[in-house]
Amino acid sequence: MQWLARSKRRTAARLASRALEADAFQTKAYFWLSVMTLAGIGLNAAVGWWWADPVAALAMTLFIAKEGLEDCGCESAVTREPQAPPACGCSPPGAGPHCR
């Protein structure tokens, strides 16, 4: 998956394709979600750590929230950096630090 994401990113840069760049980002995110899932399930099965699977699920939730804020353009609202309002429904700069 990492190889595929890297190839997609290079091709997107050559073609100046924002759609392929977004697809490369999703491929990379799916890779990390798969790693977290397998780690939680694997630790539960191999060592008997019953709590490893729920911890992996919490890690995935944090990862997804972080990536969602970055993808939405809300990171500028959180860090208070001035930026044009994004088209995805986030608060414009100065209107508040949270996405709608």
Side-chain angles (χ1 to χ4, degrees), residues 30-47:
Y30 293 152
F31 167 77
W32 286 111
L33 290 173
S34 299
V35 167
M36 287 182 229
T37 301
L38 291 173
I41 292 171
L43 286 171
N44 188 359
V47 201

Side-chain angles (χ1 to χ4, degrees), residues 70-87:
E70 288 177 3
D71 190 39
C72 177
C74 295
E75 74 277 357
S76 63
V78 172
T79 59
R80 304 266 194 249
E81 294 174 10
Q83 178 179 327

Side-chain angles (χ1 to χ4, degrees), residues 4-17 20-21:
L4 180 61
R6 200 173 309 126
S7 296
K8 285 181 179 181
R9 202 173 318 114
R10 273 190 245 128
T11 304
R14 288 184 196 139
L15 298 174
S17 171
L20 189 57
E21 182 179 344

